[in-house]
Amino acid sequence: MLYVVIAYLWGAILLYLLLGGADFGAGIIELFTTRKNKDRTRKTMYRAIGPIWEANHMWLIIAIVILFVGFPAIYTTMSVYLHIPLTIMLLGIIARGTAFAFRHYDAVVDDMQVIYNRIFMYASCITPLFLGIIAGSAVSGSIDVEATNFADAYIFSWLHWFSVAVGLFTVSICGFLAAVYLIGETDNETDRKRFIAKTKSTNIAAVLSGALVFIAAKVQGIPLTSWIFGNWVGTVAIAGATLSLILLWYLLYRGKTRVLRLLAGFQVTMILLTTTFRHYPKIVLLKGNRYLSLVEDKGHDATISSLGWALLLGSLFILPALFYLIYSFQKKKSNVEAAHN
Amino acid sequence: MNDFIAARSQMALSLGFHIVFSCIGMVMPFFMAVAHYYWLRTNNVVYRNVTKAWSQGVAIFFATGAVSGTVLSFELGLLWPTFMKHAGPIFGMPFSLEGTAFFIEAIALGFFLYGWNRFNRWFHWFTGVVVGISGLVSGILVVAANAWMNSPAGFDYVNGQYINIDPIKAMFNDAWFSQALHMSVAAFVATGFAVAGIHALMILKGKNILFHTKAFKIAAIFATVAAVLQPLTGDISAKDVAQRQPAKLAAMEAHFNTEKSAGLIIGGIPDVKNQKVDYAIKIPGALSFLAHGDFNAEVKGLDSIPPSEHPPVAITHYAFQIMVGLGMTMVLIALLYFIALVRKKSWRESRWLLKLFVLATPMGFLAVEAGWTVTEVGRQPWIIKGVMKTADAVTPMPGIVYSFYLFTAVYLSLALVVTFMLYRQIRMVDKLYDIPADTELPKH
Ligand code: HDD
Ligand code: HEM
Ligand code: HEM
């Protein structure tokens, strides 16, 4: 059962990165859209993510619940030492979620919209930035559980070049995912072109910030390259991602955008795979060669097995319903506008 | 304010905030389903308008409920890591099932909000009902987790170790049923009176009478039926508390000395130092009867519990009085309303009855907050009753005070914005929803 639970945890994180990420990305894209096009971007976005918006963010909750039920030591260690970035991320989640609903459901359309929009766009950047910082700190060995002063324990555990670089990388990945996703959601050629252009620029941003991650790792002595190239899974995955990058640009250039979504999803999956595979099952690396492991720090067996059953049973209900939701709104896209009253 | 008090206050604030939205998220779908049903059955467009107007409001509450709930699931670790480290694997079962309930709810909500004119009408109606059912199920599951803190089960605590863990037993602990029942009914009382009160106000103001009358009636019937049931479920809770947490019962009743044929104290100001209650009304024998179903039974007082394990008496006592007082007031209003429905036609349109409902708008939610104060403060100093003290569970990180200030500011501003939006929603009713049957609704 342990492996079922771990698979669900990994899957929930991946899906949150892909779906929630595209969702954050939509706000990021909106921020980097010129004023005259903002309205059109917003419209496309509603059409694309409105119905599944709530569901996209459930993956985070699933991941957290799996952590605190199944791997309490991991959940609590991160909660204690990453208290500050977690709090900032939470504030971002609150601000973004409420602003998104408010601007859509406010009965009166007036200047308040400007405020909702601002909050939505900035929070869409800050939240993935801190998600990335949290993920970066978890693997960089910077969490210092023996620290004796406030700064070492609660600030430098997460504030360093590597985690910030991972944060920036996460932000650009989110923007990239959203841009690719939105191409398929447009109903006219101009918007399509605009999102293709956005795909190119966010992809460049992702590659550049990815490079930044490597540089930061080098500077801080984090063996990132050996995680990736030290085993064949990492090497194959990263090679696949790189090859698909070339394919992606070729297709963008030719204006063939059908398979782009698959490619983008594939790339992000490969990136998550390489970064987690090598040091699995040690998912949190702490200072001084300590670590937290999915195998050694798991909860009691009875808990793991009931958690596993709960997850399996839950999927039996959730997955068909979720697919039907996505399917019906894809198929009937044309009259979504009509349903928006 | 020290960090420990700050952490408790932040937890209380976040839960007190979330509970309002979760009550609405659990109950409003049922109100909408009724209005929606009438629309599909009668083709009376006012019902469609009521359903749509409500669903607009509910979407806002849902989003706020979802984010405040997400915050809570992190806060458990941010504020109480030691508690979560040991409790997580034991009381986690309801949370892992709740994940499924939430997910279903979010999916069904997508169908419901975006599904107008796009699906079979009854399928669309059904998705609305699913939202309500899954909301109710998730409410029951979280309360089961909370009940475990009051009545720990499903593990053995030996030499500081938690062994023989059985998550299923932990979920079905002794307190889960009474708490979940009482809470579910409370959600209907609170949401029902709040919604009925708002619509009553609009009727009194003479606005869109037809619309508001239909809306009022649906909410009022749910509210009043639930209000009458609530003292009965409360009685089950009280008997339960008497069994499993005598200290909590003693604090609720400011009952200092163990005695047979104990009197029920109503109101009054507890004087903890001198172990007495001033200015209270005392009904002889009634406490024994309420707690154990026998006028002569012995009820344990605070003197039977070591002083270091006494909960704060005054807060618990006041909160309990407030809850019961509000509960009884709502029962009264409910009875008047039933008489109006069945016998007195003239009362039905009368302004004084509507005014009573307007007065009662906040009562249900105040009772919910008071009730949770009883449950949580009455459990102190324990976070897991008899096993772990709250003070031992708090995070080692200093500076929680600032986090408390920050979250207070955030929740205050959110509450303001939500109120403001609700106000706008109601003011727009005549523009958006009070239109002849054959015109399409405007888009925005
Ligand atoms: C509309 C709200 C409402 C109303 C009118 C009442 N209650 Fe209540 N009460 C709650 C809402 C609530 C609550 C917020 O839902 C609580 C908190 C925890 C729980 O399970 O329910 C609660 C807790 C609670 C507890 C503590 C349970 C525990 O710690 O396990 C008792 C003994 C009662 N109630 C008893 C009553 C009685 C005798 C009432 C008679 C009128 C009453 N309540 C009215
Ligand atoms: C939504 C309804 C709830 C409200 C309004 C509420 C209210 C409160 C209050 C007032 C306190 C502070 C008590 C004190 O410091 O004296 C508190 C503490 C706490 N509550 Fe609740 N509570 C609710 C439900 C829950 C649930 C469902 C859980 C967990 C599953 C929970 C977990 C906690 C924890 C961990 C603390 C901190 C430790 C403590 O002070 O005992 N609460 N809550
Ligand atoms: C008595 C206390 C509680 C009750 C009755 C309750 C009930 C509910 C309900 C019915 C919802 C869905 C309604 C909505 O989305 O508006 C909800 C949302 C949520 N609650 Fe609570 N809850 C309580 C306390 C808690 C606690 C202690 C936690 C965290 C540990 C929590 C976590 C969540 C989460 C994560 C969501 C969002 C799920 C979503 O997106 O739908 N809740 N709660």
Side-chain angles (χ1 to χ4, degrees):
Chain A
M1 250 333 159
L2 179 63
Y3 296 101
V4 174
V5 174
I6 292 176
Y8 270 90
L9 178 63
W10 196 81
I13 293 174
L14 175 67
L15 285 168
Y16 187 59
L17 192 60
L18 288 175
L19 302 170
D23 213 276
F24 289 123
I28 300 168
I29 299 269
E30 189 182 321
L31 183 63
F32 290 101
T33 301
T34 51
R35 182 159 301 163
K36 82 178 188 321
N37 287 329
K38 273 206 164 70
D39 247 1
R40 311 244 308 250
T41 301
R42 224 166 269 149
K43 277 229 174 70
T44 318
M45 196 178 113
Y46 278 138
R47 192 164 51 205
I49 63 179
I52 46 171
W53 174 75
E54 283 254 16
N56 284 347
H57 291 271
M58 289 308 302
W59 299 110
L60 177 64
I61 313 245
I62 303 278
I64 287 305
V65 169
I66 295 179
L67 273 185
F68 81 54
V69 177
F71 309 96
I74 298 174
Y75 171 78
T76 50
T77 308
M78 290 182 64
S79 304
V80 171
Y81 293 95
L82 305 179
H83 191 116
I84 294 170
L86 280 166
T87 302
I88 300 175
M89 182 197 78
L90 284 179
L91 294 175
I93 288 178
I94 299 180
R96 207 190 106 86
T98 47
F100 181 85
F102 290 173
R103 73 177 185 181
H104 193 38
Y105 289 106
D106 197 342
V108 185
V109 178
D110 61 7
D111 288 350
M112 286 300 284
Q113 290 286 335
V114 181
I115 302 177
Y116 303 145
N117 287 337
R118 286 250 168 81
I119 295 180
F120 178 72
M121 291 185 294
Y122 289 114
S124 291
C125 295
I126 290 171
T127 314
L129 176 67
F130 276 85
L131 269 171
I133 289 181
I134 291 161
S137 335
V139 296
S140 61
S142 60
I143 297 178
D144 187 353
V145 293
E146 285 171 347
T148 46
N149 63 11
F150 185 86
D152 282 341
Y154 302 112
I155 306 274
F156 299 118
S157 276
W158 55 274
L159 188 64
H160 45 78
W161 293 116
F162 180 74
S163 66
V164 174
V166 175
L168 292 174
F169 182 58
T170 314
V171 173
S172 17
I173 290 277
C174 290
F176 168 65
L177 284 169
V180 171
Y181 183 64
L182 288 174
I183 296 176
E185 299 292 316
T186 54
D187 51 8
N188 61 66
E189 199 47 33
T190 4
D191 279 342
R192 217 176 89 90
K193 288 231 170 74
R194 263 185 335 107
F195 288 123
I196 291 182
K198 282 277 179 291
T199 304
K200 290 179 183 161
S201 49
T202 49
N203 191 268
I204 293 172
V207 170
L208 289 180
S209 53
L212 211 59
V213 173
F214 276 97
I215 295 168
K218 195 97 208 146
V219 172
Q220 279 178 233
I222 296 166
L224 185 61
T225 35
S226 90
W227 292 344
I228 294 175
F229 299 109
N231 62 0
W232 65 268
V233 175
T235 316
V236 169
I238 211 73
T242 316
L243 282 179
S244 70
L245 200 65
I246 298 169
L247 188 60
L248 181 108
W249 277 86
Y250 171 75
L251 292 170
L252 273 175
Y253 182 70
R254 297 284 307 271
K256 290 209 164 64
T257 50
R258 286 242 148 156
V259 280
L260 279 186
R261 275 188 196 179
L262 278 180
L263 275 183
F266 172 73
Q267 285 169 356
V268 174
T269 313
M270 287 304 118
I271 291 168
L272 191 65
L273 186 65
T274 38
T275 45
T276 48
F277 186 81
R278 179 58 199 269
H279 50 96
Y280 168 87
K282 304 173 187 171
I283 59 162
V284 177
L285 304 177
L286 307 169
K287 202 165 195 139
N289 279 331
R290 291 157 171 259
Y291 58 83
L292 294 168
S293 142
L294 286 172
V295 174
E296 289 160 50
D297 293 298
K298 70 176 165 53
H300 306 261
D301 289 334
T303 310
I304 293 286
S305 97
S306 54
L307 177 61
W309 281 112
L311 291 168
L312 288 171
L313 228 65
S315 329
L316 225 58
F317 288 100
I318 293 169
L319 292 180
L322 189 62
F323 280 125
Y324 186 56
L325 179 72
I326 295 169
Y327 164 79
S328 12
F329 284 96
Q330 286 292 332
K331 212 180 74 180
K332 304 186 185 180
K333 205 175 286 164
S334 51
N335 48 13
V336 175
E337 293 290 86
H340 262 212
N341 50 36
Chain B
M1 185 182 266
N2 67 28
D3 281 332
F4 175 50
I5 300 294
R8 287 164 71 173
S9 310
Q10 183 177 330
M11 194 71 202
L13 176 76
S14 311
L15 282 156
F17 185 83
H18 178 69
I19 192 74
V20 174
F21 296 89
S22 48
C23 282
I24 292 169
M26 279 189 271
V27 171
M28 279 311 283
F30 292 106
F31 291 8
M32 291 192 286
V34 172
H36 198 173
Y37 176 82
Y38 280 125
W39 151 240
L40 294 180
R41 264 291 133 93
T42 62
N43 257 332
N44 180 346
V45 75
V46 175
Y47 283 115
R48 183 195 64 179
N49 294 344
V50 171
T51 316
K52 284 209 174 183
W54 274 346
S55 71
Q56 294 276 321
V58 163
I60 294 166
F61 282 97
F62 260 114
T64 317
V67 293
S68 59
T70 310
V71 172
L72 276 172
S73 55
F74 282 91
E75 255 173 356
L76 285 176
L78 291 176
L79 299 174
W80 314 104
T82 315
F83 165 63
M84 285 310 282
K85 190 168 177 175
H86 300 294
I90 309 172
F91 84 159
M93 193 64 199
F95 284 109
S96 30
L97 294 172
E98 196 190 8
T100 305
F102 282 151
F103 224 123
I104 305 258
E105 188 181 353
I107 294 170
L109 190 69
F111 275 116
F112 181 72
L113 289 179
Y114 291 82
W116 290 92
N117 310 331
R118 307 179 75 197
F119 298 104
N120 173 300
R121 295 152 52 114
W122 287 103
F123 174 75
H124 181 225
W125 177 82
F126 177 69
T127 59
V129 178
V130 173
V131 177
I133 293 175
S134 47
L136 207 55
V137 170
S138 42
I140 290 171
L141 287 167
V142 203
V143 174
N146 176 269
W148 178 84
M149 296 163 62
N150 285 324
S151 168
F155 67 100
D156 293 317
Y157 183 63
V158 184
N159 298 331
Q161 298 288 321
Y162 298 74
I163 54 172
N164 296 334
I165 287 176
D166 182 344
I168 311 286
K169 255 202 198 133
M171 182 161 81
F172 295 110
N173 56 70
D174 290 340
W176 87 271
F177 177 75
S178 63
Q179 275 196 243
L181 177 69
H182 192 55
M183 177 67 228
S184 307
V185 179
F188 278 89
V189 176
T191 312
F193 271 98
V195 174
I198 291 172
H199 290 291
L201 182 67
M202 301 316 283
I203 300 173
L204 284 173
K205 283 190 166 174
K207 291 211 171 124
N208 320 99
I209 305 257
L210 198 61
F211 175 96
H212 288 297
T213 310
K214 297 238 186 295
F216 170 79
K217 196 162 173 197
I218 296 174
I221 287 181
F222 272 107
T224 49
V225 172
V228 173
L229 294 176
Q230 189 63 343
L232 304 178
T233 65
D235 182 50
I236 301 178
S237 277
K239 292 200 162 50
D240 211 39
V241 171
Q243 288 297 327
R244 72 180 137 87
Q245 288 173 293
K248 184 190 276 184
L249 187 81
M252 276 156 52
E253 283 297 330
H255 181 60
F256 291 103
N257 300 310
T258 305
E259 57 187 354
K260 284 197 169 157
S261 182
L264 180 73
I265 290 176
I266 297 177
I269 301 173
D271 179 352
V272 178
K273 218 192 268 150
N274 299 317
Q275 309 253 314
K276 63 188 177 61
V277 186
D278 300 325
Y279 314 112
I281 304 168
K282 198 160 179 173
I283 308 172
L287 180 58
S288 292
F289 180 71
L290 286 180
H292 300 290
D294 169 4
F295 282 102
N296 291 316
E298 182 180 271
V299 179
K300 278 193 187 150
L302 285 165
D303 58 356
S304 67
I305 292 141
S308 65
E309 292 175 16
H310 284 192
V313 176
I315 298 181
T316 316
H317 178 67
Y318 292 135
F320 186 63
Q321 303 298 310
I322 291 172
M323 169 175 64
V324 175
L326 291 169
M328 288 309 173
T329 314
M330 288 185 285
V331 170
L332 215 71
I333 297 177
L335 294 179
L336 288 174
Y337 185 67
F338 291 149
I339 298 175
L341 279 186
V342 191
R343 322 242 340 227
K344 301 256 183 189
K345 269 214 158 117
S346 61
W347 288 14
R348 229 176 293 165
E349 276 95 47
S350 62
R351 298 179 71 81
W352 63 265
L353 191 63
L354 290 172
K355 277 186 190 152
L356 270 183
F357 272 97
V358 175
L359 265 177
T361 310
M363 282 186 190
F365 278 110
L366 291 178
V368 166
E369 302 286 355
W372 277 106
T373 310
V374 173
T375 304
E376 301 290 307
V377 176
R379 189 186 58 237
Q380 302 307 316
W382 301 104
I383 190 168
I384 307 172
K385 196 210 132 210
V387 177
M388 185 191 285
K389 291 247 167 96
T390 310
D392 300 330
V394 70
T395 178
M397 188 178 110
I400 299 298
V401 178
Y402 299 101
S403 153
F404 170 60
Y405 293 148
L406 192 67
F407 277 94
T408 309
V410 169
Y411 283 130
L412 270 181
S413 21
L414 266 184
L416 282 177
V417 180
V418 171
T419 316
F420 169 71
M421 300 211 8
L422 193 65
Y423 168 74
R424 302 229 275 197
Q425 207 87 47
I426 295 163
R427 268 211 350 202
M428 288 301 280
V429 160
D430 45 349
K431 296 224 178 61
L432 288 175
Y433 302 109
D434 218 24
I435 38 180
D438 44 6
T439 42
E440 248 310 302
L441 287 183
K443 294 171 191 158
H444 64 269

